[in-house]
Amino acid sequence: MKLSLILAPYDSGHHHAGCGQGPEAIVAGGLVEELTLHGHEVVVEDIGKVGDTPGREIATGFAVSEAVAGKVKEANAAGRFPVVLCGNCLTAVGSVAGEGADSIVWADQHGDLNTPDTSTSGFLDGMALATVLGQCWRPMAGSAPGFTAVDPSRCLLVDGRDLDSAEKRTLERLPVLRAQCADAPRIADTLLANGARRTHLHIDLDVLDADVLQVNRYTWPGGPDPDRLRETMKALARAVPVAGITISAYDPAFDPQGEVPPVVGQLLVDILEALGGKA
């Protein structure tokens, strides 16, 4: 399979800080070699520095999404499947825009469903899925060329286990599909019945059980181990029309033994094989 590996190395408006160091660490950990070994043709692209307001989380976060949307569109035009490695979940706005995705699988221990009206922290990434679903930041999200909010009925939240009270109320109000990791493939038919035709697959690595693998400062115990996550994502990739993938939120400072990059490599190899790529 021809792949575009798109790096968006930002965390909360900061270039190459925190989880913004994750994309390059994953590549340095052998990702391109692993994908090439399994028959894929890989082009690596970095969005570079974006925006003119360094350190300003909101403006820079959406500038990153805009840049990613452009790179994803270029990948599609060149017949390459887009895989985005990023620091922040908000970057999925750019992936959805560039792919023209109409549905999303959101694997994350967090709901990311707060809005400026409900957030008690002001953390922009805690509003990432709400933004994708058109619940907030609509003018800013519209800066990503081609962005159209995903109907909540075409969203599957996988293993969202760390939810605050406002997010729980949002999930009572919106028809978002939910499942634990092992049960998620059984929901695929509902996603399709609700009109999913181009599905973005978003994987925040902190969905993994922190007692098995810690990927950043936000991780909680519980959730799948890497084998379970791979099996679930493979099954979903066979069941829904995946248009692109985002892998987010790896901070190498919390992985001193470098255990995460090989896990990401195997995860992507398995997903791509399920999509019909070479094994």
PDB file of all heavy atoms in Angstrom, residues 25 46 177 224 226 264:
ATOM      1  N   ALA A  25       9.538  10.501  17.613  1.00  0.00           N
ATOM      2  CA  ALA A  25      10.033   9.368  18.394  1.00  0.00           C
ATOM      3  C   ALA A  25       9.507   8.053  17.833  1.00  0.00           C
ATOM      4  O   ALA A  25      10.225   7.044  17.806  1.00  0.00           O
ATOM      5  CB  ALA A  25       9.628   9.522  19.856  1.00  0.00           C
ATOM      6  N   ASP A  46       6.343  16.197   7.188  1.00  0.00           N
ATOM      7  CA  ASP A  46       6.134  16.950   8.427  1.00  0.00           C
ATOM      8  C   ASP A  46       5.425  18.248   8.058  1.00  0.00           C
ATOM      9  O   ASP A  46       5.807  18.906   7.086  1.00  0.00           O
ATOM     10  CB  ASP A  46       7.480  17.239   9.090  1.00  0.00           C
ATOM     11  CG  ASP A  46       7.349  17.761  10.511  1.00  0.00           C
ATOM     12  OD1 ASP A  46       6.587  18.727  10.734  1.00  0.00           O
ATOM     13  OD2 ASP A  46       8.021  17.214  11.394  1.00  0.00           O
ATOM     14  N   LEU A 177     -22.457   6.364  19.641  1.00  0.00           N
ATOM     15  CA  LEU A 177     -22.353   4.945  19.951  1.00  0.00           C
ATOM     16  C   LEU A 177     -21.173   4.735  20.892  1.00  0.00           C
ATOM     17  O   LEU A 177     -20.146   5.384  20.758  1.00  0.00           O
ATOM     18  CB  LEU A 177     -22.153   4.139  18.669  1.00  0.00           C
ATOM     19  CG  LEU A 177     -23.214   4.349  17.584  1.00  0.00           C
ATOM     20  CD1 LEU A 177     -22.782   3.680  16.286  1.00  0.00           C
ATOM     21  CD2 LEU A 177     -24.567   3.819  18.047  1.00  0.00           C
ATOM     22  N   PRO A 224      -7.689  -1.638  27.213  1.00  0.00           N
ATOM     23  CA  PRO A 224      -7.117  -2.820  26.577  1.00  0.00           C
ATOM     24  C   PRO A 224      -5.594  -2.860  26.680  1.00  0.00           C
ATOM     25  O   PRO A 224      -4.935  -1.830  26.827  1.00  0.00           O
ATOM     26  CB  PRO A 224      -7.537  -2.648  25.112  1.00  0.00           C
ATOM     27  CG  PRO A 224      -7.586  -1.153  24.937  1.00  0.00           C
ATOM     28  CD  PRO A 224      -8.119  -0.624  26.235  1.00  0.00           C
ATOM     29  N   PRO A 226      -2.094  -3.978  24.428  1.00  0.00           N
ATOM     30  CA  PRO A 226      -1.820  -3.785  23.001  1.00  0.00           C
ATOM     31  C   PRO A 226      -2.396  -4.871  22.099  1.00  0.00           C
ATOM     32  O   PRO A 226      -2.866  -4.578  20.993  1.00  0.00           O
ATOM     33  CB  PRO A 226      -0.285  -3.756  22.943  1.00  0.00           C
ATOM     34  CG  PRO A 226       0.121  -3.192  24.267  1.00  0.00           C
ATOM     35  CD  PRO A 226      -0.856  -3.804  25.236  1.00  0.00           C
ATOM     36  N   VAL A 264       3.140   0.686  18.210  1.00  0.00           N
ATOM     37  CA  VAL A 264       2.475   1.451  17.153  1.00  0.00           C
ATOM     38  C   VAL A 264       2.748   0.821  15.791  1.00  0.00           C
ATOM     39  O   VAL A 264       1.842   0.702  14.953  1.00  0.00           O
ATOM     40  CB  VAL A 264       2.938   2.920  17.170  1.00  0.00           C
ATOM     41  CG1 VAL A 264       2.373   3.682  15.970  1.00  0.00           C
ATOM     42  CG2 VAL A 264       2.511   3.597  18.468  1.00  0.00           C
TER      43      VAL A 264
END
